[in-house]
Amino acid sequence: MTLVVIRDTAGLPPTLILKSISLLWYNRSMTARKTDKFTATYQTRIRGNEDALAAYAELYGTLQRSLSADISAGHPASSLKSDYISRYGIPARMFNSLRVTLEGRMSAARESQKLHRETLQRLIARASRRITNLGRRGKSHQVHHKRRRLENLRYRLEKVESDIDADILRLCFGSKRLWRAQHSLKSNGYADHAEWLSDWRDARGSEFFVLGSRDENAGCQLCVAAVADDGSLTLRLRLPDCLAEQNGKYVTVENVRFAYGHEHIVAALQSNADYKAHRRQHGERAVRATQLGQAISYRFKRDGRGWRVFATTGITKAPVVTDRRLGAVGVDLNADHPAVTETDRSGNFVNTFSVTLVTYGKSAHQAEALIGDAVARAVEYARESRKPLVIERLDFRHKRAALEGESPRRSRMLSSFSYGKVKTYLLSRGYREGVEVFEVNPAYSSVIGRVKYMERYGLSVHQAAALVLARRLLGCREGIPRLRIVPLGRGGHVAFRVPVRKRVKHVWSYWAAVSRQLGPALAAQHRLARANPVRAPA
């Protein structure tokens, strides 16, 4: 027997309290972000001490490549620590930074290999199906090119699988793009190989990482930050002993201001000061039980304009202001706009709007700014309505594998849109604003929205799908309606047969049958619109 306790029920009607109890079991299957702490990274430019920073970065890059070779040779990183400290004259914390950075790159490379293998397998399966379909329709000229592509995919898959079986990681320090530039010097703007070699060496020694910890001075032992009288920060970077004779023991960077997040860095430094005072007064065990202390890690990176510093620290979670007992706000992510739809506590439609988000043709920074503005509007709307956000649990790799056969314009739009980045921005901003963000299974959400809610509420297909996502979080059941006429979105309708219902089957099996009937109708209408735009439904 399970004891259910619901808090903060003052002012809520009894029916709403009972509905909340009934939703607890259903929502165990929903995926919500349970992470208690997020990290944020802020950057700014710094001036001065360029020679010392360049020497540090060059040494860091050399040691990182040497450590990579030793680990690849079968030596555990933990057994190499004392040898590196004595041989190269570096502090222990610098070796920890090297190890953490390299292990992160190696782990990312292994995951990338697995994802690449899965993507190639899906592409091969789809290409095989398309070759079969084209052969049945007698399009032999397309079959030839598809077979060439299929053999290329199989060759690439064989190489990836051999690397995974042999545990071979192909890391490139300095970027693969710059490495390939040496094979076509003139087209990449190089006069000779020596000019390329200079850029290659600069790229391999252009950054270094300083690992922080909450129990160290100011959150980082090797790079200590202090707040100046004018509110700016002063960074004191400790150099390794092998560089101290030429550049001194410390490098001081003054007047550091972050355009965004400066107050968060200052708050983290104050938390570290409180951590130190509390530990001095109450002891180590007592202070570790508190939330005081923030680890601050720094990354120094050189680009064409000079040096930049990136500060990474944890952000404090805002108090949760949303309550699913009041309803939900569904967000359907699309390549050109997110559709936002609000429901009440019973799953009834309340309001909807769409946010324009076209990232095709934009630079990386422009796309990030557009995504940030769209996410800010959706999160602010959820905060004002005090209802959680609901997004679809998607894997965009499946969508990328399905790009074959799409129109070039549609493929470019889908490729340029970053589902993962939008999801990350939603989770991060919701964490900071106190807005809960849930993920639900999006199975047949577009079909259900088109059949049941599109015409009833005058919604678009995507807005209706967002309504289905919000209702799914609330535990609303989506049964097959008796109406057999479904709008296609261009003024036309299609009639479908209601599947035979059996109690042993899940309701989604019936929606799968409806989806199979709607697909050919939508495809036929699309072909009609392309063949004769004048006579096609508007």
Side-chain angles (χ1 to χ4, degrees):
M1 181 176 180
T2 304
L3 177 63
V4 180
V5 180
I6 298 183
R7 303 176 180 176
D8 300 332
T9 59
L12 295 176
T15 56
L16 183 56
I17 298 176
L18 294 176
K19 182 175 179 63
S20 301
I21 296 176
S22 65
L23 291 180
L24 286 179
W25 176 259
Y26 176 81
N27 286 320
R28 288 184 181 181
S29 61
M30 302 301 174
T31 302
R33 181 54 63 99
K34 301 297 184 181
T35 306
D36 292 330
K37 181 170 292 187
F38 275 42
T39 60
T41 301
Y42 311 100
Q43 63 166 314
T44 187
R45 292 203 170 271
I46 56 178
R47 305 294 181 185
N49 302 297
E50 296 184 358
D51 294 339
L53 295 177
Y56 196 114
E58 184 178 358
L59 174 64
Y60 189 91
T62 302
L63 296 182
Q64 190 177 40
R65 297 191 296 273
S66 177
L67 182 61
S68 176
D70 291 337
I71 293 177
S72 300
H75 303 287
S78 57
S79 63
L80 299 172
K81 184 173 183 178
S82 58
D83 179 56
Y84 270 66
I85 292 174
S86 59
R87 189 197 313 176
Y88 297 105
I90 61 175
R93 294 299 295 174
M94 183 175 179
F95 179 85
N96 293 340
S97 301
L98 288 165
R99 177 185 56 80
V100 168
T101 303
L102 185 59
E103 289 178 351
R105 294 190 63 172
M106 296 174 68
S107 176
R110 288 191 177 95
E111 292 298 324
S112 179
Q113 283 181 335
K114 297 177 183 178
L115 296 178
H116 192 198
R117 179 177 60 182
E118 295 175 4
T119 301
L120 289 174
Q121 290 173 347
R122 287 193 296 268
L123 290 174
I124 290 173
R126 182 173 177 82
S128 300
R129 291 193 300 268
R130 284 192 57 80
I131 289 173
T132 303
N133 295 333
L134 290 174
R136 291 174 180 174
R137 289 184 286 178
K139 298 183 178 181
S140 58
H141 61 287
Q142 296 184 17
V143 171
H144 172 70
H145 298 289
K146 293 297 181 181
R147 284 177 177 172
R148 291 183 58 189
R149 183 172 183 271
L150 179 61
E151 291 302 320
N152 185 22
L153 292 173
R154 288 173 176 171
Y155 173 73
R156 290 162 58 186
L157 177 61
E158 183 180 353
K159 290 182 60 178
V160 172
E161 289 181 339
S162 63
D163 288 346
I164 294 177
D165 295 338
D167 195 19
I168 298 177
L169 297 178
R170 303 184 184 276
L171 299 180
C172 182
F173 298 92
S175 81
K176 294 181 180 179
R177 183 176 182 180
L178 184 57
W179 172 257
R180 298 190 186 102
Q182 65 174 321
H183 304 301
S184 54
L185 296 173
K186 293 185 179 179
S187 60
N188 288 280
Y190 292 105
D192 50 20
H193 189 269
E195 185 178 354
W196 169 86
L197 185 60
S198 176
D199 287 353
W200 172 250
R201 290 173 176 171
D202 290 342
R204 287 159 68 90
S206 61
E207 62 177 312
F208 59 91
F209 177 68
V210 184
L211 181 65
S213 177
R214 62 175 293 196
D215 56 354
E216 295 177 350
N217 185 22
C220 187
Q221 179 179 343
L222 295 184
C223 187
V224 179
V227 182
D229 296 336
D230 59 352
S232 63
L233 301 180
T234 300
L235 303 181
R236 190 186 66 177
L237 175 66
R238 179 188 171 186
L239 296 182
D241 295 339
C242 57
L243 301 178
E245 296 182 1
Q246 183 178 359
N247 301 281
K249 187 175 181 179
Y250 296 100
V251 172
T252 303
V253 182
E254 299 179 346
N255 196 25
V256 178
R257 291 182 179 272
F258 295 89
Y260 301 97
H262 189 86
E263 63 279 2
H264 295 294
I265 301 297
V266 174
L269 293 174
Q270 182 60 43
S271 178
N272 290 323
D274 297 339
Y275 177 91
K276 186 176 181 181
H278 196 279
R279 181 176 57 182
R280 188 185 307 111
Q281 184 177 0
H282 301 283
E284 186 71 24
R285 179 177 298 181
V287 73
R288 288 190 176 275
T290 66
Q291 299 296 326
L292 297 176
Q294 291 282 353
I296 307 178
S297 300
Y298 299 92
R299 181 178 298 276
F300 293 80
K301 185 175 181 61
R302 180 181 58 205
D303 56 17
R305 297 174 52 189
W307 284 90
R308 291 185 295 169
V309 60
F310 298 79
T312 302
T313 185
I315 57 178
T316 305
K317 183 178 181 179
V320 177
V321 298
T322 57
D323 191 344
R324 78 179 75 177
R325 295 172 294 182
L326 302 177
V329 179
V331 180
D332 183 64
L333 301 179
N334 304 284
D336 55 352
H337 74 281
V340 183
T341 305
E342 178 188 359
T343 68
D344 61 11
R345 63 176 182 267
S346 300
N348 298 319
F349 170 75
V350 175
N351 188 26
T352 186
F353 63 92
S354 298
V355 183
T356 303
L357 181 57
V358 179
T359 58
Y360 176 66
K362 307 297 183 182
S363 65
H365 296 293
Q366 290 174 335
E368 290 178 358
L370 292 173
I371 293 174
D373 293 341
V375 167
R377 183 177 176 185
V379 172
E380 183 62 26
Y381 184 85
R383 180 179 175 85
E384 292 177 355
S385 62
R386 297 180 57 202
K387 299 176 183 179
L389 284 173
V390 187
I391 60 176
E392 44 195 338
R393 191 189 307 121
L394 281 180
D395 188 354
F396 192 55
R397 291 172 292 152
H398 295 276
K399 285 186 174 290
R400 291 187 185 274
L403 291 182
E404 184 181 359
E406 293 280 357
S407 64
R409 180 177 179 274
R410 178 70 174 172
S411 298
R412 287 193 297 267
M413 182 178 294
L414 288 174
S415 298
S416 64
F417 185 69
S418 176
Y419 277 87
K421 186 165 293 185
V422 175
K423 174 183 172 181
T424 302
Y425 278 37
L426 280 170
L427 293 172
S428 176
R429 193 171 187 91
Y431 183 89
R432 289 183 279 119
E433 299 291 337
V435 176
E436 296 173 296
V437 181
F438 293 91
E439 296 178 57
V440 297
N441 192 336
Y444 308 108
S445 57
S446 298
V447 176
I448 298 173
R450 182 187 295 274
V451 172
K452 297 187 63 174
Y453 306 113
M454 181 176 171
E455 193 171 35
R456 180 189 301 180
Y457 298 116
L459 306 176
S460 68
V461 178
H462 306 299
Q463 292 171 345
L467 175 62
V468 175
L469 296 177
R471 287 171 53 86
R472 192 161 291 175
L473 176 70
L474 301 177
C476 300
R477 181 178 174 85
E478 303 292 357
I480 300 291
R482 295 182 179 180
L483 183 64
R484 302 186 181 186
I485 299 178
V486 183
L488 295 180
R490 291 177 174 266
H493 294 76
V494 63
F496 67 92
R497 300 183 305 274
V498 178
V500 179
R501 306 181 186 182
K502 296 182 180 179
R503 292 183 178 273
V504 295
K505 289 187 177 181
H506 193 274
V507 67
W508 285 355
S509 63
Y510 305 118
W511 284 113
V514 174
S515 178
R516 288 192 294 268
Q517 297 180 52
L518 284 178
L522 294 173
Q525 187 197 41
H526 180 66
R527 289 194 297 268
L528 177 62
R530 294 183 60 183
N532 195 344
V534 177
R535 297 185 59 184

